[in-house]
Amino acid sequence: MKQKFINGKVFLEPGKFTDTFVVEGEIFSSVGDKDAFGDEIIDLKGRTVIPGFNDSHLHIVQTGQNLFRVDLNYSSSIDEVIERGRKFLEEHPEEEVLYGRGWNQDYFTMGEKRILRREDLDRISTEIPILFERVCGHLLSANSKALEILEISAETEIDGGEIRRDQDGTPTGVFTENAIAFSKSIIPKDSKEVLEKKILEGMNYAIKNGLTSIQSCDYYEGSFEETVEAILNIYRKKKTKLRYEPQFNFQNKEAVLPYLETYYFREDLYNDTYTKGAWKLFKDGSLGAKTAEMLNGYKGDSENKGVEAIGKETLEEAFAFGEEKGIRVIVHAIGDGAVESVLEAGRKYNREGNSLRHGIVHCQITNQNQLDEIQRLGFYTLMQPVFLQYDLMILEDRVEEELAKTSYAFGTLYRMDKKRTSFGTDSPVEDLNPFVNLYHGITRSRQDGTPEGGFVPQEKMTLEEAVEAYTYGSACSQGMEGKKGRIKMGQYADFLLLKEDLFSLEPKKLLEMSPEAVYIGGEKVFERK
């Protein structure tokens, strides 16, 4: 069966469009040939077609789980956070542990503008443990009951994390980095059926927003077996068409070995829908929580250089092991100190040309020398333009002006080598909507239009370039540009049908965009009613 689509505005790559293509089975069998045969003719009537988006870094399991948890995003005050928690608990009295995510003290416009403490969450309940994670995922606040169950004492220490205390040693309820996983150990595990249901909800949400592929960090030290089996079961039973690549987070060589031996080296698990993936490490934290690792500390707070989630020796050992075993390594690095550590490891251990496609996730705060070195060493960058929505509120307070000018350098990195620049959202840190992400990539402004003209406007990308980074660039990051990422003969027919002409819209209109239909492997998997 050949479906021939005609009379469209079909994006091929920057500067190149066509109006016709043919889908046969799962692939594009013809692109641009008006005379090509089709069993069925579909008149696009001038509508726009683009390749399906590929989010190069998110957390789809957490995204799905968050659809069933307390939504704290964009809370305007501590009081609102408390009210949302109380309301959710009233509606879900069966909860054994109240977990929520998304609060951000920088969005508080009423009352105190500070990090949540245990006494704040005690106002919701002192009978059950409460864990409310900051939007960045690098700081979490707990109530007194949670601290009691966790048996936090003055001596409790977590390597690579922090349990914050007042001057008298009393725990504030605030956990950072590796201490967060420790605090979340009290959350009851979902049953196999419930976990799978939540993951599928997240995947369906991704598809209806226009994602046809995701590279998702969901497998973690100490809890990976249940998640891996749930996701593998989804794909064994073909419950979704969404293309999935795991990013597995283990913070050292010894920790990753059980996953590698049990799953990674099993070639029978993989195909072009469920692919092998990358070993993900955290080098630092976030800018908002002041845990991103900075070479010279924070503006006005030079003694604070952030949190080193893993040491340089551990990071270098991971790169050496990855090179030895043929494993792609990607590293969460937000601050310029963390980026520098990744580059140092790359100088020692990357194969010439970076054939394994090692990458830097986020890559936010950078100096010019580091940008040049990223290009020289061939590192891939997995970036999130949507982070500008929040970070532009705090950047001036966190980073010196000269360093800020060479940060969030999407345009520079893309122009250096478009194969090596890809886009994602880090959902649920930000919503996974790709059109919103595009807006920030091309305007470099917040959604209210500030700063006028965009932050460091020379780093703006054109819309065509941004779409390319989100499709072709993301496919390159996982070594699949020969199979997907473009509307091209012989590639998988993963594409979106849009009502509006995407490429002639005012940027603000991107914030309201959504796909009319989504196709994966030639099959229509979503249609907006």
Side-chain angles (χ1 to χ4, degrees):
M1 174 69 172
K2 293 185 177 183
Q3 290 183 301
K4 184 175 182 179
F5 294 77
I6 63 172
N7 298 327
K9 182 175 182 178
V10 183
F11 175 74
L12 304 180
E13 59 183 278
K16 293 185 179 180
F17 290 81
T18 189
D19 59 5
T20 303
F21 62 91
V22 177
V23 174
E24 183 176 3
E26 290 190 297
I27 67 167
F28 295 110
S29 61
S30 172
V31 175
D33 183 359
K34 294 180 184 293
D35 298 325
F37 173 76
D39 297 293
E40 178 185 3
I41 308 299
I42 299 169
D43 189 347
L44 295 169
K45 299 179 180 177
R47 289 174 292 183
T48 299
V49 178
I50 62 173
F53 290 111
N54 180 345
D55 193 306
S56 63
H57 176 69
L58 49 59
H59 309 262
I60 201 64
V61 173
Q62 291 181 31
T63 298
Q65 290 172 329
N66 278 8
L67 297 174
F68 296 84
R69 291 172 173 169
V70 190
D71 180 7
L72 302 174
N73 285 288
Y74 303 108
S75 296
S76 61
S77 65
I78 292 172
D79 286 343
E80 184 176 346
V81 169
I82 292 164
E83 182 56 35
R84 291 193 194 189
R86 286 173 176 166
K87 183 177 179 182
F88 190 92
L89 196 55
E90 288 172 5
E91 295 172 351
H92 302 84
E94 74 285 355
E95 291 293 311
E96 298 176 43
V97 176
L98 186 63
Y99 172 80
R101 179 167 175 167
W103 66 270
N104 184 339
Q105 76 278 10
D106 293 303
Y107 285 144
F108 294 167
T109 57
M110 296 179 286
E112 294 181 273
K113 193 172 183 177
R114 60 168 172 80
I115 288 171
L116 299 172
R117 293 168 54 94
R118 60 181 172 79
E119 54 264 32
D120 299 315
L121 304 191
D122 286 347
R123 292 169 58 192
I124 300 172
S125 174
T126 56
E127 299 300 316
I128 67 167
I130 299 173
L131 303 173
F132 277 2
E133 200 164 354
R134 191 178 183 276
V135 65
C136 63
H138 295 275
L139 186 145
L140 175 147
S141 299
N143 72 340
S144 297
K145 189 65 176 180
L147 296 175
E148 175 190 327
I149 293 172
L150 288 164
E151 298 182 343
I152 301 298
S153 70
E155 290 73 38
T156 308
E157 299 290 341
I158 304 294
D159 187 36
E162 180 185 12
I163 300 172
R164 293 186 181 173
R165 296 175 173 86
D166 288 326
Q167 289 184 346
D168 64 359
T170 303
T172 64
V174 175
F175 297 77
T176 72
E177 303 311 327
N178 293 352
I180 294 173
F182 169 72
S183 72
K184 290 165 74 172
S185 64
I186 64 174
I187 299 176
K189 289 184 178 179
D190 287 327
S191 68
K192 189 182 301 183
E193 294 75 20
V194 170
L195 177 60
E196 189 174 312
K197 174 186 175 182
K198 290 179 179 179
I199 295 170
L200 273 171
E201 284 292 321
M203 290 177 166
N204 291 335
Y205 181 66
I207 288 172
K208 78 176 187 179
N209 276 280
L211 294 173
T212 57
S213 292
I214 57 172
Q215 299 167 54
S216 188
C217 184
D218 299 313
Y219 304 160
Y220 295 92
E221 181 179 347
S223 62
F224 68 88
E225 293 93 344
E226 298 93 337
T227 309
V228 175
E229 288 300 327
I231 290 175
L232 285 177
N233 192 54
I234 287 170
Y235 283 96
R236 288 187 190 111
K237 295 185 177 180
K238 299 182 179 180
K239 294 183 177 183
T240 185
K241 295 277 287 184
L242 181 69
R243 301 190 192 278
Y244 179 93
E245 177 161 294
Q247 296 171 344
F248 41 96
N249 174 226
F250 299 83
Q251 287 292 80
N252 57 62
K253 172 184 169 182
E254 289 70 30
V256 78
L257 287 174
Y259 174 78
L260 298 178
E261 293 164 358
T262 307
Y263 295 105
Y264 184 83
F265 292 126
R266 279 185 55 189
E267 297 299 330
D268 62 300
L269 295 179
Y270 305 108
N271 51 45
D272 289 342
T273 298
Y274 182 89
T275 46
K276 209 164 192 179
W279 181 11
K280 158 80 181 299
L281 299 108
F282 282 88
K283 185 66 183 74
D284 67 347
S286 75
L287 200 64
K290 279 194 172 183
T291 55
E293 191 179 352
M294 303 292 288
L295 281 174
N296 300 308
Y298 285 86
K299 182 178 178 181
D301 186 16
S302 59
E303 293 301 310
N304 178 13
K305 291 183 165 55
V307 173
E308 188 179 35
I310 55 171
K312 292 182 180 180
E313 288 185 5
T314 302
L315 180 63
E316 291 180 2
E317 183 182 40
F319 270 92
F321 185 66
E323 287 288 331
E324 177 190 345
K325 299 296 184 181
I327 303 167
R328 178 175 169 237
V329 177
I330 60 174
V331 185
H332 166 118
I334 285 180
D336 61 339
V339 171
E340 190 62 34
S341 294
V342 178
L343 295 177
E344 288 175 11
R347 292 183 197 109
K348 293 181 180 180
Y349 296 108
N350 271 16
R351 297 178 187 178
E352 186 176 352
N354 189 17
S355 60
L356 290 178
R357 307 196 182 199
H358 301 310
I360 305 175
V361 182
H362 308 312
C363 195
Q364 288 173 221
I365 309 302
T366 51
N367 60 49
Q368 186 59 52
N369 288 338
Q370 290 174 334
L371 296 175
D372 294 337
E373 192 74 344
I374 288 168
Q375 168 65 9
R376 188 184 73 80
L377 293 170
F379 269 103
Y380 286 71
T381 53
L382 293 68
M383 309 183 81
Q384 295 74 34
V386 68
F387 279 7
L388 289 171
Q389 170 66 9
Y390 167 63
D391 286 5
L392 287 178
M393 296 174 62
I394 61 168
L395 189 62
E396 184 178 338
D397 294 328
R398 302 284 199 275
V399 179
E400 297 291 348
E401 184 178 358
E402 285 305 306
L403 181 58
K405 287 179 180 177
T406 54
S407 298
Y408 306 86
F410 319 130
T412 290
L413 290 167
Y414 177 86
R415 288 186 286 272
M416 283 179 170
D417 189 343
K418 66 181 182 180
K419 275 191 170 185
R420 300 185 191 275
T421 302
S422 63
F423 284 168
T425 57
D426 204 16
S427 176
V429 174
E430 295 288 348
D431 188 78
L432 54 69
N433 185 320
F435 297 98
V436 173
N437 210 11
L438 290 176
Y439 166 86
H440 291 288
I442 69 170
T443 66
R444 295 181 65 82
S445 297
R446 301 187 71 247
Q447 291 172 27
D448 62 4
T450 59
E452 188 175 349
F455 169 70
V456 191
Q458 60 266 33
E459 290 291 348
K460 288 181 182 180
M461 298 171 70
T462 69
L463 185 54
E464 292 180 22
E465 290 171 340
V467 171
E468 178 89 336
Y470 224 143
T471 54
Y472 174 72
S474 293
C476 290
S477 75
Q478 58 181 144
M480 294 191 70
E481 67 272 22
K483 295 185 175 182
K484 63 181 182 180
R486 282 183 170 161
I487 296 174
K488 185 176 182 180
M489 190 167 65
Q491 293 205 2
Y492 285 114
D494 301 346
F495 62 96
L496 311 182
L497 180 60
L498 309 175
K499 273 188 176 181
E500 300 89 347
D501 180 356
L502 179 69
F503 300 99
S504 64
L505 286 178
E506 289 293 320
K508 275 278 189 182
K509 292 291 184 180
L510 288 170
L511 301 175
E512 305 166 9
M513 280 285 288
S514 58
E516 181 180 4
V518 179
Y519 292 76
I520 302 178
E523 180 183 337
K524 187 188 291 185
V525 294
F526 173 76
E527 185 171 23
R528 195 165 300 281
K529 302 301 182 183

